[in-house]
Amino acid sequence: MEVTTENRSPGKLFSWIERVGNKVPNPFLLFVYLIVVLMVATAIISYFDLAVKNPTNGELVRVNNLLSVAGIQWILPNIIKNFSGFTPLGSILALVIGAGLAEKVGLLQSLMVKMASRVSRRYASYMVLFIAFFSHISSDAALVVMPPLGALIFLAVGRHPVAGLLAAIAGVASGFTANLLIVTTDVLLSGISTEAAKAVSDTVHVSVIDNWFFMASSVIVLTIAGAILTDKFVEPRLPAWNGGNNDRLPPLTALENRGLKAAGIAALVFIALMALLVVPEHAPLRNPKTGGIIPSPFIQGIVPIIILFFFVVAIAYGAVTKQIRRADDIPQLLVDPMKSMAGFIVMVFPLSQFVAFFNWSNMGKFMAIGLTDMLESAGISGAPAFLGLMFLSAFLCMFIASGSAIWSILAPVFVPMFMLLGFHPAFAQMIFRIADSAVLPLAPMSPFLPLFLGFLQRYQKDAQLGTYYVLIFPYPVVFFISWIVLLLAWYALGLPIGPGVYPSLH
């Protein structure tokens, strides 16, 4: 089954984006240059003693000079620590070990063929996007695991794997905050919002379910919008896919089917054991103080649990299909997945330094308060205030990789401001989530950007950063616009954004 698509060249705008993007330096060099620019900027701002006033406590926020004596004394002892302590690095590498074993023994490929045999070629886009949204329960793990699976699903049904890859990236990245379930993002942001709301009222509380109605509805809207975009615009404009036999997924053998059954049994046993550790009232993985699940050791340990799950099902499958004959085979199978991460590890070194320098210099808070002061002084309210917060959040997302870090900066300013304008703090939080999530695939500071580029290069060897940008660019635009329309409609109709929570304070 050979995949064929009509080869249409992109329009002038996309051709220009690709040309400009491909002239952007290698990500490693890009972050080196950004570090130099950041250092010079902090020196200039510090020289002129520029400061902004935090409206919540009246404190002056200044930038720390990276080129000062104090800056140099901080930089040198922390360079290795910045790299080794970069949180996404350990999580991503650990997830690659787990998912890599499942891929090397053939479990992922067999699973996708099995799933594809029950899915219409026509509705593959809807399936990939919906699974991507559901996968957010695993938090950042979804950003590592889901894109390759999306490509495999499309490959298995005879469609272009790059289209499946892009749809999956859109679902896990641009739609990162949309989910049918309550996930760790809800826990992190609601706590920050509640603390920020205390500047106006001690009685207003933001719970983990206060955005649930809107975010769950977003899954349906974005799945439809993303699938139509993939089917009608993105895939028809991809070059024809002429992958060889090694690139196509063959039909399952009897041994592979038995392997899938063994993996399924192992998965059920694993899930049953986890349920015993989570569901009972005094289960060990519940919150020891409140007895709840959110937050709890279970939620905090979701990434290691996912890694262990991959190992259990992959070993069960590999043992039955004879890919794993002895224990010594397991570490050997893990070598290739880690080799593929070499470029990512190299790129993370300057990225981790830039993030650490940016945080120590206080530049993020300085920029955020300065920009929000501009909105406040302009007297913006109502729908313009919504859009102002959205575009400011999207802008900061391009420079600060952590969404919770951005909201920690913005919430003390925008939550009180929105409350004084008569809006619920959960509504301000929801607006931030939309903007921060929509532009995530484009954020140059995201540690996942080079990972996404690496996934693309599996199917398009000569792909560069500009190639990635021109391919993924339509998704953030469509998701952003779809979310704005949904938000304005939701506000106009006065619908609850969560159980008993409305945009306006009552």
Side-chain angles (χ1 to χ4, degrees):
M1 177 175 57
E2 186 166 327
V3 181
T4 57
T5 59
E6 184 180 350
N7 185 1
R8 300 178 188 172
S9 59
K12 292 182 178 179
L13 173 62
F14 292 106
S15 296
W16 178 83
I17 293 173
E18 183 170 14
R19 287 196 304 272
V20 172
N22 286 338
K23 291 181 180 179
V24 174
N26 180 280
F28 180 91
L29 296 175
L30 177 62
F31 287 115
V32 171
Y33 300 152
L34 287 173
I35 288 172
V36 174
V37 171
L38 177 63
M39 286 181 163
V40 174
T42 60
I44 294 173
I45 294 173
S46 297
Y47 177 79
F48 288 102
D49 195 29
L50 300 179
V52 292
K53 188 176 182 179
N54 191 327
T56 59
N57 53 26
E59 293 181 356
L60 290 178
V61 176
R62 289 184 169 86
V63 169
N64 296 320
N65 183 3
L66 285 164
L67 293 179
S68 65
V69 173
I72 300 300
Q73 290 176 344
W74 176 85
I75 290 173
L76 292 178
N78 285 284
I79 286 179
I80 304 302
K81 182 181 177 181
N82 295 339
F83 177 58
S84 62
F86 190 58
T87 303
L89 177 63
S91 299
I92 291 173
L93 293 181
L95 284 165
V96 168
I97 289 178
L101 180 61
E103 183 178 5
K104 290 299 292 183
V105 298
L107 172 60
L108 297 184
Q109 294 90 328
S110 296
L111 184 61
M112 290 305 105
V113 171
K114 196 72 173 180
M115 293 173 64
S117 66
R118 302 177 182 275
V119 176
S120 167
R121 183 179 188 273
R122 179 179 178 183
Y123 297 107
S125 298
Y126 295 89
M127 175 184 175
V128 167
L129 281 155
F130 187 80
I131 294 176
F133 286 122
F134 190 79
S135 69
H136 292 155
I137 192 173
S138 62
S139 190
D140 288 353
L143 294 161
V144 180
V145 175
M146 191 61 211
L149 296 189
L152 288 175
I153 291 174
F154 267 51
L155 200 58
V157 298
R159 294 182 60 176
H160 204 300
V162 172
L165 174 71
L166 296 171
I169 292 175
V172 295
S174 277
F176 181 76
T177 196
N179 205 303
L180 297 173
L181 305 174
I182 302 301
V183 295
T184 53
T185 302
D186 298 281
V187 180
L188 288 171
L189 299 185
S190 61
I192 296 171
S193 300
T194 298
E195 289 299 316
K198 291 179 180 179
V200 176
S201 173
D202 291 331
T203 62
V204 178
H205 176 77
V206 180
S207 77
V208 297
I209 59 175
D210 282 358
N211 291 159
W212 184 30
F213 289 171
F214 183 86
M215 289 304 169
S217 300
S218 297
V219 171
I220 300 172
V221 172
L222 297 181
T223 296
I224 295 172
I228 293 174
L229 176 64
T230 302
D231 296 345
K232 303 298 183 182
F233 182 82
V234 174
E235 189 172 13
R237 285 163 174 77
L238 291 172
W241 173 251
N242 296 311
N245 291 330
N246 291 334
D247 298 307
R248 297 197 300 271
L249 300 179
L252 295 181
T253 64
L255 192 62
E256 288 170 336
N257 277 311
R258 288 199 296 272
L260 282 179
K261 290 181 181 179
I265 294 172
L268 291 175
V269 172
F270 184 90
I271 292 171
L273 290 174
M274 291 306 304
L276 290 175
L277 295 173
V278 176
V279 175
E281 186 175 354
H282 299 291
L285 292 185
R286 282 180 173 264
N287 189 309
K289 295 181 179 179
T290 65
I293 296 178
I294 301 177
S296 68
F298 171 72
I299 295 298
Q300 294 168 347
I302 192 68
V303 171
I305 289 171
I306 291 171
I307 296 169
L308 182 59
F309 176 80
F310 272 122
F311 267 98
V312 169
V313 296
I315 291 172
Y317 178 89
V320 171
T321 58
K322 311 302 182 184
Q323 297 294 320
I324 299 176
R325 298 178 182 272
R326 52 196 179 95
D328 288 348
D329 291 338
I330 297 175
Q332 293 298 322
L333 290 169
L334 295 175
V335 172
D336 284 344
M338 293 308 295
K339 283 182 179 178
S340 67
M341 298 301 294
F344 171 76
I345 296 172
V346 170
M347 189 284 309
V348 163
F349 185 78
L351 168 59
S352 62
Q353 306 307 323
F354 179 82
V355 171
F357 292 4
F358 201 85
N359 291 336
W360 185 87
S361 68
N362 219 21
M363 182 67 85
K365 193 171 185 179
F366 179 85
M367 291 172 58
I369 294 177
L371 291 169
T372 50
D373 282 347
M374 293 172 58
L375 293 178
E376 290 181 306
S377 61
I380 297 176
S381 62
F386 307 163
L387 298 177
L389 175 55
M390 290 184 75
F391 284 106
L392 175 59
S393 302
F395 174 76
L396 292 177
C397 179
M398 305 300 284
F399 298 95
I400 304 175
S402 170
S404 59
I406 300 174
W407 188 231
S408 296
I409 296 169
L410 293 181
V413 179
F414 272 97
V415 166
M417 185 177 84
F418 268 62
M419 292 177 70
L420 293 174
L421 292 172
F423 297 108
H424 198 286
F427 187 58
Q429 172 185 285
M430 189 179 76
I431 294 172
F432 162 76
R433 294 176 67 173
I434 290 171
D436 177 67
S437 179
V439 300
L440 186 58
L442 303 176
M445 299 299 104
S446 170
F448 298 101
L449 179 63
L451 193 67
F452 295 156
L453 178 59
F455 291 147
L456 176 62
Q457 289 170 340
R458 292 184 184 181
Y459 301 99
Q460 195 168 333
K461 302 295 184 184
D462 60 344
Q464 300 178 52
L465 194 58
T467 311
Y468 165 78
Y469 271 126
V470 77
L471 290 173
I472 200 65
F473 184 74
Y475 289 99
V477 173
V478 169
F479 277 33
F480 200 43
I481 293 174
S482 299
W483 247 328
I484 290 176
V485 172
L486 182 63
L487 172 70
L488 295 177
W490 210 277
Y491 175 70
L493 295 173
L495 299 174
I497 58 177
V501 179
Y502 291 81
S504 299
L505 282 169
H506 293 286

